[in-house]
Amino acid sequence: MMSVSALRQITHDRSLFVPAGLFVVLLVAVALRGHGLFTNNGLAGAILVATPLILTALAITPIVMAGRGAVDLSVGPLLGFINVTLITWLVGNGITNPVAIIGWAVGLGAVFQLIQALVIIYVRVAPIIVTLSGFLVLSGLNLMVMSRPGGVAPDWMLTWGAGTSVFSPVLLLLVAAYALWGVLRSTMFYRNLRMTGADERMAYTSGVQVDVIRIIAHVVGGAFAGLAALSYTALISSGDPTQGSTYTLQAVTALVLGGASLSGGRGGALGSTLGAINMFLISYLLSTFNFGTVSGFVTQMAFGLILIGSLLVNVFVISRRSVA
Amino acid sequence: MVTTVMNSEISEIGRSNALRTHKSIWIGFALLACLLALGALLVPGFVSSQNARSILLLAAFLGLASVGQTLCALVGALDLSIPYIIGGANILLPSLMVAGLPAPVAMAVVLVLGALVGAANGALSFKLQGQALIMSLGVGFAAVGAVQIYTSLGSQFGGTVFAPVPVWLRNLSAFNGKFFGLPFPPVIVIWAVVAVMLGWLMYNTWFGRSIYAIGGSRTAAARLGISEFKVWTVIHSASGAMSAITGMLLLGFSGGGFVGVGDPYLFTTVAAVVIGGTSLLGGAGGYGATVLGVLVLTVLTSLLVGLGLGFPAQQAVVGLLIVPMVAIYARTPHIRNQI
Amino acid sequence: DGVDQLPASEKKIYEVVDPQIPLGASAYKNFKPKKGPPWKIGYASSYAGNTWRAAALDAVMNDLLPRSKVAGLVSEVVVTQSDLKDAVQIQQMRQMVDDGVDAIIICCSNVTALNQTIEYAYKAGVPVFSFSGYVTSPYAINGAANHAQGGGEMATWLAEKIGKKGNVLLVSGIPGFASSDSFDKAAKEALAKYPDIKIVGEVAGKWTDQVAQVEVQKFLATNPTPVDGILTQGAQENGVLNAMLQSGRDMIPITLGGEASAACYWRNNPDWVDASFHIWPPRREMQQMWEIMLRTLQGQGPKVQSFLRPVLPYTIDDVRAAIPENCDLNSTDFVEPTADGWFPAAVADQYFEHPADPWKAATK
Amino acid sequence: MNREITIRLADVAKSFGETKALKKCDFEAHAGEVHAIVGENGSGKSTMAKIMSGVLHPDSGTVSILGEKVNSPIDAKKIGLTTIFQEVLVADEASVFENLFVGRDGVFKSQSGGGDRRAEANEILTRLVGKSVDLDQMVGGLPLSIKQWIVIARAMLRRPRVLILDESSAALDLDSTIRLHEEIDRLRREGATVLIVTHRIAELVRIADRATILRDGVTVGTLQKHEITEENLLSMMTPPDRRASDVKEYASKNRAIAEVSVMTAKNMVAQRTSAPFDFDLPKGSIVGVAGLDGQGQDAFVRALVGIMRPFGGDVLVRSAETGKMVEIATLEDAASAGISYVSGDRKREGIFPQQSIFENLAIGVYRKNLGPMGIIRKPTLKPMFKREVDRLRIKIGSPSNKITSLSGGNQQKVLIGRAFANDPQVIVLNDPARGVDLGTKRDLYRELRAFVEKGGSVIYLSSEIEEFIGFADRVDVFFAGRLFRSLSGDHIAEEPILAAMFGKSENASVEFDLERSA
Ligand SMILES: Nc1ncnc2c1ncn2[C@@H]1O[C@H](COP(=O)(O)OP(=O)(O)OP(=O)(O)O)[C@@H](O)[C@H]1O
Ligand SMILES: Nc1ncnc2c1ncn2[C@@H]1O[C@H](COP(=O)(O)OP(=O)(O)OP(=O)(O)O)[C@@H](O)[C@H]1O
Ligand SMILES: [Mg+2]
Ligand SMILES: [Mg+2]
């Protein structure tokens, strides 16, 4: 049933044309390369590896949608912060209760984003600057909490990273995120969020509680970041102070590949998911070629070119719509 | 009817006006003075020609890398390709020299390529203003990937390229470099010249004013016949060229090509621009402000190092500094006042 | 079990080790590969940005692979590179497993992040070999120099060289990577034995000369304090040396690994230091790992989880023999032990239950 | 009539830093009345509207709307107060439908007031715009007038008990204004209180029951319907020292128009499907351009100055140097041929908000003062600036203050100064007096008159017919995308212009009733 409504969304919202088209093209290409993605293990692994990125992209989706050019640069280090505190402060002190761990991850993400939202709203500094600050502060803190990768995830989480079954707890994290988003989407919050992002002054004067909307957007984004951190912790079964940061630009890229507008108002979970999956597929596809010693460089270049190409195509699709 | 009120002299219109109206400049100076005073008090050896030289040298690299970021910020763009072009130039130059090009020719080639990639970045980013951030990232990836492929072909080089760095290039940007016999590396002078020239050009040329005009109001600028496309392309091209220059000068500093030398400049250039007081939304600020931002950042880092703080703590302190700095001079008006 | 099964001469190497390094019995004692030779090998490297990795990869592509092909042992090597991103490396390894490689060599990785993936490979019958640095998974076979021993010995050498007192700058590799951490830990412990020696700074050189040079330059520039010696990991000492040369300070002792460039400086300034260490010779370490892999695939039954080699000191005479007088100060090469000097077949045989010559041509 | 007092402001003051926007504002409005708020630019009308809407909080004094305190737009929504702000606030990236119902619901819960929202929206938009509008299209591509209608419809859909319109007719043409008046009238009959802020005296005379006048942040009095006349309004709005001016200072002397044309357009097609037409601008004349919204006059004016290409035909202008006719295809062509353009949409197309007053004026002439390498020759600029400021009597503090420190009218004067500073031979003005007060308008008319007397030529597009009368030498009325009729001499009067705007033949009487809405 989810796929039906997803299909309707794709045919309805033209900003999803390009990501959906790219998705199909990539799937076909991967299939033609004849590798093992379409097996139980292949899919399980794909879910395992792609979920942190998908969830991180989801985490910035409501925040970007809320407008003011709110590209959340801090989300990567936030992922890392949740990861290292989870491993060092909780597991390191013998707290391995799943409820505590999940609560900590989701709660910490939400609280941090709440703080950022309050600074954005009440100190009134542009979001990109606030989140740049968050990026630097958390990147530093992460290394202070854990100077180098290490530690182990709690025992019950170790099996999560096995990636041998499509229906794994990691998938559950993803489902949980979609469920939360689905609930929000079915309420007026989604429309309010869109309107706030599209023109905040209009929304404000029309009686939308823009501050409340912005706070909720951030808190929800923070909760998603918590889920992303859990899936990331499951993936590496340990703590890592620096790698989380690399997710910032990846997530923003996924978001944009998914057809969202960085200036707010346009975007959604489906687009971000497609964007993230496409990024995964691109890297999957490129590793099926054996470029030998230059493989890393070819991957980087090809990735850049695909990014440019799909952004350009997106422009044509979307601008044609507004002309029509 | 309306009486004419023209009591004040029409003078000191240009730069002094900017000084008067830009709180950020004064705050930047005050902060810089505070940091220097703190350093003098707390860190032995902080006030020394050796330390001044090293601060200025590190500031010069950041300053040169921030030229493009400042120009882009003035029209409301962010250029994330800077670190990649720096890295690309840093390995392309030695590999061209290994291939037998004389150093000046190789440098010219790198410079032109940097400018071309920048121009492509500008043209593409312009098409997608909302997503310019990611577009510039994509261009950066593509460019650095291509350069690395080139440097890897027929050699085992990839991220690193070894070649003897010409003595004069080394002298330009090494700590022990000499400027006509004076004990500081010429790159500091290069930066100073670039800063003064750029500051002057921004206020006194049509192109400079066009940049501000576009940052202030795109449509109004278009009505004056200012081509936004051209300005974006030229600005990004300048950014690419400056990044290439920075990358080449860094070669003299690090002694060998390494594609990762640009990495620190991804967000530090943005931080320098922001701390200086240039609005990321365009139209206000300037390179003078960025120079201050660069100095504040570099002196602060030096102070923190002197106080024994490690890199993580330095990063956190810089991060913590940004919000209050910007809050002092660039708070967005409350939405009530924007209607 | 495990190391206890080794002869005393080899056990000695395991006396000073990183406590985290797994020393138990190998999970591959009774391993039989899915199918016979020629095998398809995956090489999942985490990084390609320095000369050391280039040399290691060169050893695979231009020496080990051709020889193995001739012997009918290996058909193909698939190379990937993850740019230091664990998630990418995980995906690349899983993809290799799903695509049916017979063994995977990983390079210099995160100690724990890949464990789940290694287990995944193990369950699919694909052994994973961690080269130059260990992982904690019981399903991997680690092969490298004993970096802890190396750190200890180099630190002790430096401490003695500077007269047991003074300020030392520590230039580590990539924090969080096994070999880097093992080295640092042991080095610090060794220096702690000298009360008058103080570590005045720690920077990360990323095993890349340019990075090391920039980091050391920045340190020297911003810290007016005198430095009496620099303890650096290998594959970056030339950068450290250049930074010292540029700083205008007097030259001080620097620990040397195997970079031919720094060795060249030493050759021209023979009084500078008096010893150097083969701490992670890229080609030799790779050959060691490759042979362990071949033997494991051949069902020889490795006894231990971690194959460690002692760090070998060498002298200016070895340098004179290895590089010419008009040597290149910018060389990207390494001074390495002789082909059989690192992991001799006779020694290797002691590590396996059913030892045999790994290079014997496969009989179809 | 219901005499219940719905709005009461007592002794309200509001400052923005140094600026005292409102000093002492007392105000009352009843249910069932249309109450106008009148005053010069910057006299505090919008500030007053924002305070009543809860957007701004007063520094002192009391505000009571329907017996309640309103602290935010959310409070306003609760008690049934709706404001249409001076700026047209729509979300370009959202559909018409979303724009109409924004803010109607709670954070999570839908405030389903029953009924079919789409049907309701369709009905009201059709009534207001005069044709049906696709509810699902994005607003971004729609013309300004439709956007304005969307904002009005958004307000009407809420069935407000108090409605405030801040210059909402400024972007509407005459026909539309009349439809708006019908709506206002309906609300009044339903017992709502309607406040309108407008600079169009005629509009005010037509529809307002009472008018309160603001002068420099002080409410100086309230006029009853029969007292609302231009003279009364002017005398109350302007401070005593500025009153004694010659109202007809700018008036046309009804001169014969010269034979030489400086600008011509042949076979021009202004809208994709419209018929071609010719146009010429005689040297030394003021040609007014009129038309209902969307009849092609706007596109025509933009094509004249090279902002857009016409769908057919060429624009030629006489070169000042050679006397030959040259073609205009781009803005640069127009600029180098000595054509200056002033837009009425100064926020979007005119000012550079972060720049100083000086920069805003001088930027128009930099191009003419370039040395080698595009370096600006600055010495010539200061005298130029002083000349323009004096000429237009622009009220400025220091030239280095930001342009946004000026009131809207003075900002507009700076932009006109920018146009004059280029020493153009033709000035094209696109509704420049939109939202500008009377005094400023007269300064503008006088200067344009002086300009043509020295040999310049003017094209003046306006949405207010009154502007042409006694000012323009000729009025070109557009209808159905082409120049429908040129009027001159005594034909420049309300009736003939209106007739032409509706596409009527010269002698037919204008059928619709101007007083219908009163
Ligand atoms: N947000 C603000 N910040 C600073 N000053 C302001 C602000 N809003 C209004 N003002 C000042 O208040 C005064 C009154 O402005 P207001 O917008 O109420 O005038 P108005 O009567 O609506 O003028 P207009 O006819 O031009 O719309 C202006 O002179 C202006 O200087
Ligand atoms: N954010 C602000 N900061 C400073 N002054 C402001 C601000 N907003 C408005 N003003 C001032 O308020 C006055 C009128 O404001 P408003 O926004 O109504 O102007 P406007 O729409 O340009 O004028 P008009 O439409 O009446 O010609 C101007 O003098 C302007 O300088
Ligand atoms: Mg107003
Ligand atoms: Mg106004």
Side-chain angles (χ1 to χ4, degrees), chain B residues 101-123:
Chain B
L101 284 190
V105 178
M107 291 181 90
V109 169
V110 174
L111 182 67
V112 168
L113 284 179
L116 284 179
V117 171
N121 184 12

Side-chain angles (χ1 to χ4, degrees), chain A residues 35-36 41-42 45 48-49 148-149 158 161-164 235-238 240 243 247 280 283-284 287-288 290 293 296, chain C residues 48 57 76-81 84-87 90-92 94-95 98-99 110 112-113 116 120 175-176 181 184 202:
Chain A
H35 288 261
N41 276 353
L48 178 68
V49 175
R148 51 196 43 175
L158 288 179
T164 44
L235 176 69
I236 65 168
S237 319
S238 54
D240 191 312
Q243 302 229 343
Y247 277 97
F280 171 81
S283 105
Y284 190 97
S287 8
T288 64
N290 194 0
T293 49
Chain C
L57 182 61
E76 185 189 351
V77 174
V78 182
V79 183
T80 63
Q81 193 262 105
L84 296 179
K85 292 190 188 102
D86 289 340
I90 287 171
Q91 185 230 319
Q92 288 167 338
R94 292 185 66 104
Q95 223 168 316
D98 296 347
D99 289 351
N110 188 306
T112 49
Q116 297 294 334
Y120 173 78
D181 286 358
D184 287 357
E202 245 181 277

Side-chain angles (χ1 to χ4, degrees), chain A residues 6-288:
Chain A
L7 201 71
R8 184 146 25 85
Q9 243 188 78
I10 289 175
T11 52
H12 196 76
D13 184 352
R14 295 185 72 160
S15 67
L16 290 176
F17 277 19
V18 175
L22 186 61
F23 175 69
V24 172
V25 168
L26 286 170
L27 269 191
V28 170
V30 168
L32 286 181
R33 296 286 304 159
H35 288 261
L37 180 62
F38 305 105
T39 60
N40 176 52
N41 276 353
L43 283 179
I47 289 171
L48 178 68
V49 175
T51 297
L53 179 58
I54 296 176
L55 285 174
T56 316
L58 283 186
I60 56 173
T61 302
I63 297 172
V64 169
M65 281 182 71
R68 294 205 197 162
V71 188
D72 188 356
L73 300 179
S74 72
V75 72
L78 174 61
L79 182 89
F81 187 64
I82 298 172
N83 167 256
V84 294
T85 52
L86 203 91
I87 297 297
T88 319
W89 293 352
L90 295 193
V91 181
N93 290 318
I95 304 169
T96 55
N97 181 318
V99 178
I101 299 257
I102 295 172
W104 173 261
V106 173
L108 188 58
V111 167
F112 177 79
Q113 286 294 7
L114 175 67
I115 293 171
Q116 283 203 146
L118 294 179
V119 172
I120 289 168
I121 294 170
Y122 296 107
V123 184
R124 296 206 307 269
V125 170
I128 189 152
I129 293 174
V130 174
T131 60
L132 172 66
S133 162
F135 177 94
L136 294 172
V137 171
L138 287 184
S139 298
L141 280 184
N142 289 350
L143 282 163
M144 285 150 92
V145 172
M146 190 183 241
S147 61
R148 51 196 43 175
V152 274
D155 293 337
W156 53 267
M157 205 188 238
L158 288 179
T159 53
W160 289 23
T164 44
S165 163
V166 175
F167 301 99
S168 64
V170 174
L171 184 67
L172 222 64
L173 292 178
L174 212 50
V175 171
Y178 288 126
L180 175 55
W181 183 257
V183 168
L184 283 174
R185 235 202 107 109
S186 67
T187 69
M188 276 297 147
F189 169 77
Y190 180 75
R191 182 153 284 167
N192 282 325
L193 177 64
R194 253 174 64 69
M195 291 299 110
T196 304
D199 192 313
E200 189 172 355
R201 297 183 309 154
M202 175 197 73
Y204 172 75
T205 52
S206 306
V208 175
Q209 290 173 285
V210 288
D211 290 349
V212 176
I213 299 291
R214 190 173 297 283
I215 288 174
I216 296 175
H218 273 263
V219 169
V220 169
F224 286 164
L227 296 178
L230 285 174
S231 67
Y232 178 67
T233 308
L235 176 69
I236 65 168
S237 319
S238 54
D240 191 312
T242 54
Q243 302 229 343
S245 300
T246 60
Y247 277 97
T248 288
L249 287 179
Q250 289 188 60
V252 178
T253 308
L255 190 85
V256 170
L257 267 184
S261 160
L262 290 184
S263 38
R266 176 154 48 83
L270 186 59
S272 298
T273 305
L274 276 176
I277 293 179
N278 285 346
M279 283 180 67
F280 171 81
L281 287 176
I282 292 169
S283 105
Y284 190 97
L285 184 67
L286 288 171
S287 8
T288 64

Side-chain angles (χ1 to χ4, degrees), chain D residues 45-47 86 166-167 197:
Chain D
K45 305 179 297 296
S46 296
T47 305
Q86 189 165 357
D166 192 350
E167 298 188 33
V197 176

Side-chain angles (χ1 to χ4, degrees), chain A residues 69 71 128 262-263, chain B residues 68-79 125-126 128-133 210-218 228 231-232 235-236 273 278-284, chain D residues 354:
Chain A
V71 188
I128 189 152
L262 290 184
S263 38
Chain B
Q69 202 65 278
T70 309
L71 295 178
C72 289
L74 282 176
V75 295
L78 272 189
D79 186 357
S125 300
F126 176 75
L128 286 114
Q129 295 217 344
Q131 332 284 53
L133 189 81
S210 304
I211 295 174
Y212 282 95
I214 285 177
S217 169
R218 301 170 55 189
E228 197 181 356
V231 169
W232 270 64
I235 283 178
H236 282 81
V273 167
T278 297
S279 155
L280 291 184
L281 306 175
Chain D
Q354 290 127 324

